[in-house]
Amino acid sequence: MNQDAKLLRRLLRAKDRMDAAFHEAWPVSRLSDVSGVSEAHFARSFKQAFGVPPHRYLLTRRIERATALLRDTDLSITEIAFLTGWGSLGTFGRVFRDVTGESPGAIRARERAMAHELDRVPACLLSAAHRPNLTIAVSEKRRRVARGIKASQAKEVIR
């Protein structure tokens, strides 16, 4: 069943608010007020539109932000827990481990070790590794031209 555009805009408004203030409490009642629909309708429609319930979406955002802070800052794990909206360090650690499979400390150690390993790789090689490999596309185009295959025929061959 397709949801109408007006409802999707309302759901996106609530989702955007969660993204902007993931550290705040976002009960369904508050989200339904933001979107202007009933609580039950909001919860059902949000899950249908985005594939996860609102609470799980919020947890995902918090875990993503916490992971970035663990990787990029020297803040303590306790500070990160409270900055990302968790009420207690124990809950943060348990949920973080449940979602990622690793403790916050283990993630921090692994991310720092990986960053240290990349320091030994020259920047030009890192840039090249992240650049799309355009030579493959050019070579394939040249092979097609050499074989006399036009672009429209090539699309048919791929299908």
Side-chain angles (χ1 to χ4, degrees):
M1 176 173 127
N2 289 334
Q3 296 179 340
D4 64 10
K6 188 175 181 180
L7 176 60
L8 286 175
R9 279 194 302 275
R10 290 170 178 241
L11 295 172
L12 281 169
R13 186 179 313 138
K15 184 175 170 275
D16 289 345
R17 292 270 180 94
M18 277 195 286
D19 287 339
F22 60 86
H23 58 281
E24 295 179 11
W26 286 100
V28 172
S29 58
R30 184 177 177 195
L31 292 166
S32 68
D33 288 344
V34 168
S35 62
V37 297
S38 73
E39 292 180 26
H41 188 56
F42 174 82
R44 232 183 1 262
S45 300
F46 190 95
K47 184 174 181 179
Q48 183 180 7
F50 302 113
V52 293
H55 181 69
R56 179 154 312 145
Y57 178 80
L58 182 60
L59 288 179
T60 302
R61 290 291 159 257
R62 287 179 175 176
I63 295 295
E64 288 172 352
R65 182 65 182 144
T67 302
L69 290 172
L70 287 166
R71 179 185 61 238
D72 300 333
T73 70
D74 289 325
L75 295 171
S76 71
I77 293 174
T78 304
E79 288 175 299
I80 290 171
F82 290 115
L83 281 173
T84 53
W86 300 94
S88 76
L89 181 60
T91 303
F92 168 67
R94 181 180 48 79
V95 173
F96 193 95
R97 189 176 298 105
D98 289 347
V99 171
T100 65
E102 295 180 88
S103 70
I107 292 275
R108 173 171 268 171
R110 182 174 49 79
E111 291 289 337
R112 287 187 175 173
M114 285 177 32
H116 179 67
E117 291 297 319
L118 289 177
D119 286 344
R120 292 191 260 174
V121 178
C124 59
L125 291 178
L126 285 176
S127 295
H130 290 99
R131 200 172 302 130
N133 192 354
L134 298 178
T135 57
I136 293 172
V138 171
S139 299
E140 183 61 29
K141 185 177 178 181
R142 286 183 184 146
R143 277 194 291 274
R144 286 185 194 142
V145 169
R147 285 187 251 145
I149 300 173
K150 295 179 183 172
S152 59
Q153 292 172 327
K155 288 179 185 175
E156 292 298 320
V157 170
I158 292 172
R159 290 182 191 167

